[in-house]
Amino acid sequence: MSVEVERKFTCNPDTLKTLEKIGVCVGHHQFHDQYFDTPTFDLTLRNMWLRKRKGCWELKCPTTQSVNSTQNSSGQQSKAGLCTQYNELTNLHEIHQRVIEVINAVCEERGTKPIQLDLEESWVQNANLVCFAEFTTIRQSFALKGEGVNVDLDQADFGYQVGEVEVVIPKGGDVQAALEKIENIAKKLGLNPHERVLGKMDVYLKKNNPEHLATLKRMHVL
Ligand code: V4E
C-alpha cells in the first residue's frame, strides 16, 4: 500500500511555461475511469473511492484507520491546507477485503445480512456495486528532476481541466517531507496559496449527480 499526497491546481500559460522549464514531460496518455459504489453510496460517503482504470482496480481511502472518523474525514485536508492524502490500494485481494469490511459494517448497522466474499462469482455483483461515474481523461505528465515529484495536467471529457502536484510515499513514510516537497514545487510554479481547486469528481458530480454531491458536501467528504 502507498500513500498519495497531492495538491490540485489551476494551470495557466505561465504555470505551463515554468513546468516545462523545471520538469521533463514524460508522456501523454488517455484513460477511462469507472467509479463504483453501492446504490446507497456506502463507500463514497466514507470517503472511499473505488475505481477501475485500464482494467485494474484501485481504491483510495482515508489515511486514518477509522473510516467513520469525523475528525479527519474531510478529504484528509492536511494542515498544509490545500493538500490531500489518501492510502492507495492496488492489490485486488486487499481491495476486496477492505470493501467487504466496510459494506459489512454497514450491513451490521442496518441489521441486514452480511455479504460473503465469493471469488467464484463476480465480486462486483456479489458486493452489489454499481458504476456511478465514468469519464475519460487526457493526461500530460511531468517529472521534476531529483525531486521525486510528479505533476499531471488533466483534461477530462466533461470539460474540466486540472493540474496536480503529487508525491507517492510508502505507507508509514514521511508525509511531512512530502508536503514540503509539494509546497516547494507550488512556490516554484507560482501557485495561488489561497485557491482551493476542485477535483474532477466534484465537477463531474455537479453536472451528473448534484444530489449526491450535496450529500458528500453535507457529510464533509468533498
Ligand atoms: C480521492 C478522491 C477521488 C478519487 C480520485 O482522485 P483524484 O486524485 O481526484 O483523481 P485522479 O484521476 O487525479 O487520480 P490519480 O491518477 O492521481 O490517482 S474522487 C474524490 N476524491 C476526494 C478528493 C478530495 N477530497 N479533494 C480533492 C481536491 N480531490 C479529491
Coordinates of all heavy atoms in Angstrom, one line a residue, residues 6 18 21 23 32 34 75 78 87 106 110 126 128-129 144 161 163 183 188 190 221:
E6 N -1.2 14.9 -2.4 CA -1.2 15.7 -3.6 C -1.9 17.1 -3.4 O -2.7 17.3 -2.5 CB -1.9 15.0 -4.8 CG -3.3 14.7 -4.6 CD -4.0 14.0 -5.8 OE1 -3.4 13.2 -6.4 OE2 -5.1 14.4 -6.1
T18 N 6.7 27.5 -16.8 CA 7.6 27.2 -15.7 C 7.7 25.6 -15.6 O 8.9 25.1 -15.4 CB 7.0 27.7 -14.3 OG1 6.6 29.1 -14.5 CG2 8.1 27.6 -13.2
K21 N 10.1 24.3 -17.9 CA 11.5 24.7 -17.6 C 12.0 23.8 -16.5 O 13.1 23.3 -16.5 CB 11.5 26.1 -17.1 CG 12.4 27.1 -17.9 CD 12.4 28.5 -17.4 CE 11.6 29.4 -18.2 NZ 11.2 30.7 -17.5
G23 N 10.7 20.9 -15.3 CA 10.4 19.4 -15.3 C 10.6 18.9 -16.7 O 10.9 19.6 -17.7
H32 N -9.7 5.8 -19.2 CA -11.1 5.9 -18.8 C -11.3 5.4 -17.4 O -10.9 4.3 -17.1 CB -11.9 5.0 -19.8 CG -13.4 5.2 -19.7 ND1 -14.1 6.3 -20.1 CD2 -14.3 4.3 -19.1 CE1 -15.4 6.1 -19.8 NE2 -15.5 5.0 -19.2
Q34 N -13.9 4.3 -14.3 CA -15.2 3.9 -13.8 C -15.2 3.8 -12.3 O -14.4 3.1 -11.8 CB -15.6 2.6 -14.4 CG -15.8 2.6 -15.9 CD -16.2 1.2 -16.4 OE1 -15.4 0.3 -16.2 NE2 -17.4 1.0 -16.9
G75 N -11.8 14.8 3.2 CA -10.8 14.7 2.2 C -9.4 14.7 2.7 O -8.4 15.0 2.0
S78 N -5.0 18.4 4.8 CA -3.9 18.5 5.7 C -3.7 19.9 6.3 O -4.3 20.8 5.8 CB -2.6 18.1 5.1 OG -2.2 19.1 4.3
N87 N -4.6 6.7 1.3 CA -4.0 5.4 1.0 C -4.4 4.9 -0.3 O -5.6 5.1 -0.7 CB -4.4 4.4 2.1 CG -3.8 4.6 3.4 OD1 -2.7 5.2 3.5 ND2 -4.5 4.3 4.5
V106 N -21.7 -1.7 7.5 CA -22.9 -1.0 7.2 C -24.1 -2.0 7.4 O -25.1 -1.7 8.0 CB -22.9 -0.4 5.7 CG1 -24.3 0.2 5.4 CG2 -21.8 0.6 5.6
R110 N -27.3 -1.8 9.9 CA -28.7 -1.8 9.4 C -29.4 -3.1 9.8 O -30.6 -3.2 9.4 CB -28.7 -1.7 7.8 CG -28.2 -0.3 7.4 CD -28.4 -0.2 5.8 NE -27.9 1.0 5.4 CZ -27.1 1.2 4.3 NH1 -26.9 0.1 3.5 NH2 -26.6 2.3 3.9
N126 N -21.5 -9.5 -6.4 CA -21.6 -10.0 -5.1 C -21.7 -8.9 -4.0 O -22.5 -9.0 -3.0 CB -20.3 -10.8 -4.9 CG -20.4 -11.8 -3.7 OD1 -21.4 -12.0 -3.2 ND2 -19.2 -12.2 -3.3
N128 N -22.7 -6.0 -4.7 CA -23.8 -5.1 -5.1 C -23.2 -3.7 -5.5 O -23.8 -2.6 -5.1 CB -24.9 -4.9 -4.0 CG -26.2 -4.3 -4.5 OD1 -26.4 -4.4 -5.7 ND2 -27.0 -3.8 -3.6
L129 N -22.1 -3.7 -6.2 CA -21.5 -2.4 -6.6 C -22.0 -2.1 -8.0 O -22.1 -2.9 -8.9 CB -20.0 -2.6 -6.6 CG -19.4 -2.9 -5.2 CD1 -17.9 -3.3 -5.4 CD2 -19.5 -1.6 -4.3
L144 N 9.8 16.0 -12.1 CA 10.7 17.1 -11.7 C 12.0 16.5 -11.2 O 12.0 15.7 -10.2 CB 10.0 17.9 -10.6 CG 8.7 18.5 -11.0 CD1 8.2 19.6 -10.1 CD2 8.7 19.1 -12.4
Q161 N -10.5 21.1 -16.6 CA -9.0 21.0 -16.7 C -8.5 21.2 -15.3 O -8.9 22.1 -14.6 CB -8.5 22.1 -17.6 CG -7.5 21.7 -18.5 CD -7.1 22.8 -19.5 OE1 -7.7 23.8 -19.5 NE2 -6.1 22.5 -20.3
G163 N -4.7 20.6 -12.7 CA -3.4 20.0 -12.5 C -3.2 19.4 -11.2 O -4.0 19.8 -10.2
E183 N 5.0 21.8 -1.4 CA 5.0 23.3 -1.1 C 6.1 24.0 -1.9 O 5.9 25.0 -2.5 CB 5.2 23.5 0.4 CG 5.3 24.9 0.9 CD 4.0 25.7 0.7 OE1 2.9 25.0 0.4 OE2 4.0 26.9 0.7
K188 N 7.5 27.3 -6.7 CA 8.3 27.4 -8.0 C 7.3 27.7 -9.1 O 7.5 28.4 -10.1 CB 9.1 26.2 -8.3 CG 10.3 26.1 -7.5 CD 11.2 24.9 -8.0 CE 12.4 24.8 -7.1 NZ 13.1 23.5 -7.3
G190 N 4.5 29.1 -8.9 CA 3.7 30.3 -8.6 C 2.3 30.1 -8.3 O 1.4 30.9 -8.7
V221 N -17.3 15.2 3.1 CA -16.4 14.3 2.4 C -15.7 15.1 1.3 O -14.5 15.0 1.1 CB -17.1 13.1 1.8 CG1 -16.2 12.2 0.9 CG2 -17.7 12.2 3.0

